[in-house]
Structure formats: C-alpha cells, structure tokens
C-alpha cells in the first residue's frame, strides 16, 4: 500500500509544486466514493487531493471517470467567477485542486443568515447556468459521448440507473418496470430543452462551504462537482432542495431571478423537475447496495428517500394526466 504522504509528495511534484513543502495532510470525511485529503504547505497554501477507488470497485454505470466531470465543473465555474476550487492537475488516478475557504453548511446559522445565504446561493446557481457546453451528457463519457438531443441523453441516464437497480437488486418503493413506465410518460417534456447548461447536480448543504472570514457568512465554495453534466438547469434544483421542494424556497428563487436565472413552473417544467427528482432518488436508493451501506443509513434511505421517489412519480402521473 502506498503511504499517503509519499503519494501526496509525488502528486505535488507532478503538479510542479515543491514536495518538500508539504507540512500537513489530513483526510476529509463526508464523501462516499473517492478518497479525499487536504494538503497544507509550509507557505499556508491549501490543496485538496482526490483519488478514485480501484477500477474493480462496484459502482453505478455513470460512476466512471468522475474526476473528468469534476475537473470540467471547476474549469467552467472559474469562467463565470463562481466560488469553487480551482483545478491544478488532473490525471487518470488523481485530481488536485485548490481548497476553498469556509466550512460545510450546518445548523448554526441564524434565520437571517440562512436567508442571506440562500439568496446568494441562488445568484451563484444562475451564474453557473450561463455556462453552456458542446453537447448534452456527462463529460466523462461514462454513458456515451455528448449528444445534441437532451431527451435521448436523459432517458439513457435514467435507463442506466434502472439497470443498476435491477442488477444490484436495490430495494425500491415501486417495481423497476413501474418506475420506468411512469417516467416514460413525461419524456415528451424533455424536448423543450435545447441548450446544454452546466449542472452541478449535487449542491446539497454538505457541498456548499460557508465562509465567515469577512464578517457575515457568504458562499465560500461549491465543491464536489463530480456528478456534473451538461443538461437542463431545472435538474439543479433537486439537490438544492434535497428531500424538499425548491418552489418553496423564496430566498433562493429571488437570488436566482435577480442574477438572470429564468424560472417558471408550467406543466412541462413540473414534469421535468419531477423526473430529475426521481433520477436522483433512484441513485440514492440504488447506490446503497454497491457501497454496502450500514443498517442505519439503509433505514434512513427507506424512511426519507423512498417516499420522495414515490412523490416525484405521483407528480409525474398527476401532471401528465392534466
């Protein structure tokens, strides 16, 4: 087994940084896929190193070359000055990036601070969605090359996670074939999406750093962009309101619109929003099998995530019927 310090020094050397200046190394927790470490140099600069698991590690079909997508997110975010890590070096076996200021969003914020941050987050999301890509899909190519047709790409993404659910025997609240039928009734709404926009797709609170160094809290960094794809901006709102409903987040929506984001919830948008919720919740339910989730997490997923999948499918059925 390669020593962590030895590996870190080797990677710093590859990145053109002096490995002799490595002063501190600590593992970062919270992720469930890659190995993540913070590297601090003697000059005070901090970097984050991600190392993927071995290729033989069980996973979902879209979980190949995730670091490629993450690097693309950081390049794109830098272009619109959204706070995020800056890419240093990408290789097949590691990603090195700068560290962002702040700590993970937690429950210590006052109500006023929370509203201020949600409004600021809305502005940052709108800036992200100004970035357009060369085609729809995952930059990693995990499910095929980028394509000009969002309906084809997203149905491929949805089918892939359904195949994963079958393959791993995931416990779902409805049979896989029933989920597929309900989803397919909404696929026509996907044809309205013609511009591939930058979508992080994992902006829950744990991936949003809150920086207090300048006084009041602000968004210090949007991190862990490995789930990024080029797609429909509406898909972003799922993780931004994880296990909730972005339509009830007035502060976020105000910031989003203020920064030029377009938002309305007519029937096609409602169908797409429900589809993307179903997609993420299917991932969350299915990944517990290859990741060998513990009993407590499995219970949480069944109690909290499974009902949200049912609610998304019910909304598709209701909206499609209307």
């Amino acid at each position: 087994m390669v020593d962590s310090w030895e590996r870190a020094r080797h990677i710093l050397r590859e990145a053109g940084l002096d490995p002799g200046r490595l002063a501190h190394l600590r593992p970062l927790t919270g992720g469930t896929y890659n190995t993540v470490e913070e590297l601090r140099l003697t000059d005070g600069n901090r970097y984050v190193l991600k190392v993927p698991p071995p290729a033989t590690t069980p996973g979902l079909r879209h979980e190949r070359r995730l670091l490629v997508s993450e690097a693309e997110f950081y390049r794109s975010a830098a272009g619109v000055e959204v706070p995020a890590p800056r890419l240093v070096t990408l290789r097949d076996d590691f990603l090195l990036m700068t560290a962002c200021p702040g700590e993970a969003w937690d429950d210590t914020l006052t109500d006023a601070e929370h509203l201020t941050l949600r409004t600021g987050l809305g502005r940052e999301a709108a800036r992200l969605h100004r970035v357009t890509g060369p085609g729809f899909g995952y930059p990693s190519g995990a499910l095929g090359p980028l394509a000009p047709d969002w309906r084809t790409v997203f149905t491929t993404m949805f089918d892939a996670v359904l195949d994963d659910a079958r393959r791993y025997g995931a416990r779902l609240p409805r049979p896989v074939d029933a989920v597929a039928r309900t989803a397919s009734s909404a696929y026509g709404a996907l044809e309205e999406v013609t511009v591939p926009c930058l979508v992080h797709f994992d902006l829950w609170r744990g991936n949003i750093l809150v920086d207090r160094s300048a006084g009041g809290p602000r968004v210090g960094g949007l991190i862990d962009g490995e789930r990024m794809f080029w797609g429909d901006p509406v898909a972003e709102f799922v993780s931004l309101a994880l296990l909730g409903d972005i339509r009830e987040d007035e502060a976020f929506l105000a910031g989003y619109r203020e920064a030029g984001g377009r938002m309305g919830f007519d029937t096609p948008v409602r169908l797409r929003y429900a589809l993307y919720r179903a997609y993420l919740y299917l991932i969350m339910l299915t990944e517990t099998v290859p990741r060998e989730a513990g009993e407590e997490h499995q219970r949480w997923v069944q109690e909290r995530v499974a009902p949200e999948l049912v609610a998304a499918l019910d909304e598709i059925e209701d909206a499609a019927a209307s």
Side-chain angles (χ1 to χ4, degrees):
M1 179 179 293
V2 177
D3 175 79
S4 294
W5 282 76
E6 178 184 342
R7 177 178 62 194
R9 292 190 183 99
H10 171 74
I11 288 171
L12 288 171
R13 187 179 297 110
E14 283 203 35
L17 299 167
D18 182 358
R21 297 172 70 180
L22 179 62
H24 183 73
L25 183 153
R26 70 181 180 101
L28 298 178
T29 59
T32 58
Y33 191 76
N34 297 297
T35 298
V36 188
E37 297 168 331
E38 181 188 78
L39 314 182
R40 186 179 304 159
L41 306 191
T42 53
D43 59 6
N45 286 326
R46 297 184 304 128
Y47 299 88
V48 173
L49 171 64
K50 277 196 173 185
V51 178
T56 55
T57 301
L60 306 187
R61 283 179 54 192
H62 74 277
E63 292 180 324
R64 292 191 301 108
R65 304 180 72 228
L66 288 177
L67 297 185
V68 172
S69 294
E70 183 160 7
E72 185 61 53
F73 175 78
Y74 298 143
R75 291 190 194 101
S76 299
V80 288
E81 299 183 345
V82 166
R86 295 302 179 244
L87 176 66
V88 178
T89 305
L90 171 67
R91 297 285 188 271
D92 288 340
D93 56 348
F94 74 85
L95 170 67
L96 184 67
M97 69 199 91
T98 60
C100 288
E103 302 295 333
W105 191 315
D106 58 25
D107 294 324
T108 62
L109 299 166
T110 66
D111 290 344
E113 289 174 334
H114 178 84
L115 290 175
T116 297
L117 274 170
R118 293 302 297 181
T119 303
L121 182 60
R123 297 189 194 103
E124 302 300 352
R127 293 187 184 100
L128 285 180
H129 296 163
R130 296 174 191 168
V131 183
T132 58
F136 291 104
Y138 287 108
S140 63
L143 299 178
L146 299 180
D149 175 14
W150 176 233
R151 175 172 178 163
T152 298
V153 167
F154 182 74
T155 56
T156 298
M157 293 163 60
F158 204 93
D159 287 346
V161 73
L162 290 177
D163 287 345
D164 288 327
R166 292 187 184 95
R167 176 162 53 106
Y168 288 118
R171 181 184 170 192
L172 303 182
R174 291 185 181 174
V176 173
D177 290 345
V179 174
R181 284 194 300 273
T182 298
S184 66
S185 69
Y187 285 165
L190 299 169
E191 295 177 3
E192 288 198 350
V193 183
T194 58
V195 179
C197 295
L198 178 66
V199 179
H200 182 289
F201 203 61
D202 201 12
L203 286 177
W204 68 292
R205 295 197 316 177
N207 287 338
I208 302 167
L209 299 183
V210 178
D211 179 21
R212 295 178 180 269
S213 61
R218 64 181 181 86
V219 176
L222 306 181
I223 63 173
D224 287 348
E226 60 195 13
R227 307 291 171 179
M228 170 264 172
F229 55 76
W230 298 111
D232 180 0
V234 173
E236 195 79 272
F237 304 134
V238 180
S239 60
L240 282 163
L242 190 65
L243 304 178
D245 192 331
I246 200 69
R247 290 168 286 193
E248 299 173 0
D249 192 340
E250 295 180 2
F252 173 87
L253 294 175
Y256 188 77
R257 293 185 176 112
E258 178 186 311
R262 297 181 179 180
M263 173 54 60
F265 285 99
D266 58 14
T267 296
V269 173
R270 286 173 53 210
L271 284 167
R272 283 160 28 216
Y273 184 41
L275 274 174
Y276 307 143
R277 283 154 48 211
Y279 178 62
L280 179 57
Y281 299 143
L282 280 169
I283 289 173
M284 294 175 69
L285 287 160
T286 302
E287 69 185 5
T288 61
V289 182
R291 297 188 185 183
E292 299 180 343
E295 183 178 337
E296 182 178 352
H297 183 70
Q298 290 187 41
R299 183 167 53 251
W300 178 84
V301 166
Q302 291 301 320
E303 292 176 353
R304 294 296 310 279
V305 179
E308 292 298 331
L309 173 57
V310 171
L313 296 172
D314 285 346
E315 183 164 356
I316 291 172
E317 292 172 349
D318 292 344
S322 65

